[in-house]
Amino acid sequence: MTGLRQRLAELRGPAAVPHPMDARALAALAANPGCRRRALLDGAGVDKGALASALGAPANFGQSQFAHQRGNSFEARVKADGGADLVRLLHERLRDGSEPPGPGAVATPDLTAPGPQGRTARTALALREATEAGRWALLDHPMVSLDVAGSPAFLEPDAVVVHPDGSWTVVEIKSFPMVDGSADPAKVGAAARQSAVYTLALERVASMIGRPPEGGGDTADAADAVDAVDVETASAAKTAEAAGAAETAGPVAPAEAAAPADPAGTAAREGPVTPAEAPLRARVRHHVLLVCPKDFSNLPTAEMVDVRKQLAVTRRQLDRLTRIEEIAAALPGGTTFDLRLTDDGRTPTRPVEELTAAVEAVDAAYAPECLSTCELATHCRTRSRAAGRVEALGRGVRGELGGLTTMDAVLTAAMEHPADEAPTGDPTVEALRRAAALRAEALASRSEAAACR
């Protein structure tokens, strides 16, 4: 791990500040697991937006300053009064017949800690204490970690609510409107994928705290769950020291985390944990609370969103990612994405040719969907078009064309052989020939018809 952190620091540049990976970027990476370029850049903490601008292909998406301020204002209103209104809103949407939270019934633990590792450990401890207490609790901007291709990423949900029964609900607050109880399906889908990432990270914490044995189980199952907590007790002190050092040195890259955080907060306790002392009810609900403005107003409304499908897809896609150390080991010696910024930290001095060569040294898997999720998509699209790759037409077209990977190969298969020629046995080539023949027949009466080339 020390060698990997050093290598990723070299890729990022000695003076570059690590760029943290958020849940939105992680969800986009999980949706395109074949893109080694994005996996490496995100794992190394490279600022892809600054890199794209230095390459002359800046990203054309993002949130305006006005929208950002409006979102912060709406989130502050939702969480006002210690989160009591938010928890009551969640209780109303659950419709489970339980008693609503009364005045002062919602605990709001302090999650302040030095560095991302410290905040992750403090969040896990707060979740454990709230679960043991058996009461409503609201964790405002907790921090959890998730392993991404061998590199830990630190994630910050808008909020997590702990129920009296020990279950946890992820809360996702968005500024797009919910009109008559429904919102833009595309935006809801993006929010569900982002929430699935948070749910996946929280499941790791819940598994370390413990959950009830299924099918009745016995106490041995509970003891096994608690034993997993004891394994990390020895490294908790070192983790706290690393967190303090990280706070002094500055931000920590997603791939530069030292020892894993203590998910169950055992560092705050002395002596071994016994099964009788361990909470055994922690679990993460697979329905998240999506909170949005109601009918273009600033009043909050909410709906429960089932993220089981997104959770399964994200888990499977993250498991398919090539590990970062393997990608880094395959790079030519001396490869770096350092922009060599001037003293003001704004102007890159690295020649564009060098940056382009460094970026092209890592394989990419471009698709048109990347244009709304990746800062480097414009650069990748330009290179894909210049090389005549069929990926530029979309994943669906790429899948239909099989072994034909370039535009020239497709046109050659379709146009340079007559449709009545002997079959080739390749269904893709036969379909292209039939399509070319139909097009020629349809345009035969039009003298001004343009050829495919």
Side-chain angles (χ1 to χ4, degrees), residues 62-400:
Q63 194 176 43
S64 67
Q65 183 177 0
F66 173 75
H68 186 69
Q69 293 175 349
R70 182 183 60 185
N72 289 341
S73 175
F74 177 69
E75 181 176 341
R77 175 162 188 164
V78 171
K79 296 178 180 178
D81 193 21
D85 293 338
L86 176 59
V87 174
R88 280 195 293 268
L89 192 62
L90 171 61
H91 180 268
E92 292 173 2
R93 295 301 181 270
L94 289 175
R95 302 182 181 92
D96 57 359
S98 61
E99 289 293 328
V106 181
T108 55
D110 182 16
L111 304 180
T112 304
Q117 293 105 327
R119 289 188 59 196
T120 302
R122 183 66 189 90
T123 295
L125 179 60
L127 286 169
R128 180 190 181 109
E129 292 174 345
T131 302
E132 289 179 330
R135 57 176 297 186
W136 291 99
L138 174 68
L139 277 67
D140 186 6
H141 284 288
M143 181 161 283
V144 291
S145 64
L146 186 64
D147 182 85
V148 182
S151 173
F154 295 98
L155 311 170
E156 189 175 353
D158 290 332
V160 174
V161 175
V162 179
H163 299 249
D165 64 356
S167 60
W168 309 341
T169 295
V170 174
V171 179
E172 186 66 18
I173 303 174
K174 295 296 184 183
S175 58
F176 56 81
M178 190 176 293
V179 182
D180 294 333
S182 62
D184 185 345
K187 294 181 178 179
V188 173
R193 290 189 293 272
Q194 186 175 345
S195 300
V197 174
Y198 297 136
T199 303
L200 189 61
L202 282 167
E203 283 186 345
R204 173 181 175 271
V205 183
S207 67
M208 300 305 293
I209 291 178
R211 57 178 71 216
E214 297 183 5
D218 55 25
T219 56
D221 297 327
D224 291 340
V226 176
D227 289 342
V229 174
D230 293 332
V231 173
E232 297 195 1
T233 305
S235 63
K238 295 182 179 180
T239 301
E241 294 176 3
E247 182 70 11
T248 303
V252 179
E256 290 184 346
D262 178 17
T266 54
R269 301 153 57 99
E270 294 184 359
V273 181
T274 64
E277 294 175 332
L280 298 174
R281 299 181 299 164
R283 63 182 178 88
V284 186
R285 292 177 179 244
H286 293 160
H287 285 74
V288 303
L289 184 70
L290 177 62
V291 184
C292 299
K294 181 179 180 180
D295 299 333
F296 302 102
S297 69
N298 203 33
L299 299 176
T301 186
E303 290 296 336
M304 303 300 296
V305 179
D306 188 347
V307 297
R308 284 177 293 183
K309 178 180 178 180
Q310 292 83 356
L311 186 62
V313 171
T314 301
R315 182 183 289 111
R316 182 175 66 253
Q317 299 292 60
L318 289 179
D319 289 341
R320 292 175 54 194
L321 290 175
T322 305
R323 295 187 68 84
I324 292 177
E325 57 265 30
E326 297 179 16
I327 303 175
L331 294 177
T335 301
T336 178
F337 306 106
D338 186 11
L339 301 181
R340 298 174 189 164
L341 299 176
T342 56
D343 293 339
D344 61 1
R346 299 179 180 179
T347 307
T349 62
R350 181 96 177 271
V352 177
E353 295 77 11
E354 290 186 12
L355 276 178
T356 302
V359 171
E360 293 301 314
V362 192
D363 293 335
Y366 170 76
E369 294 84 353
C370 297
L371 292 171
S372 61
T373 59
C374 182
E375 294 84 347
L376 281 175
T378 303
H379 170 79
C380 295
R381 179 182 62 178
T382 301
R383 305 293 293 189
S384 181
R385 287 178 173 177
R389 301 191 187 102
V390 297
E391 286 85 350
L393 302 178
R395 292 194 182 100
V397 176
R398 174 67 185 89
E400 292 288 341

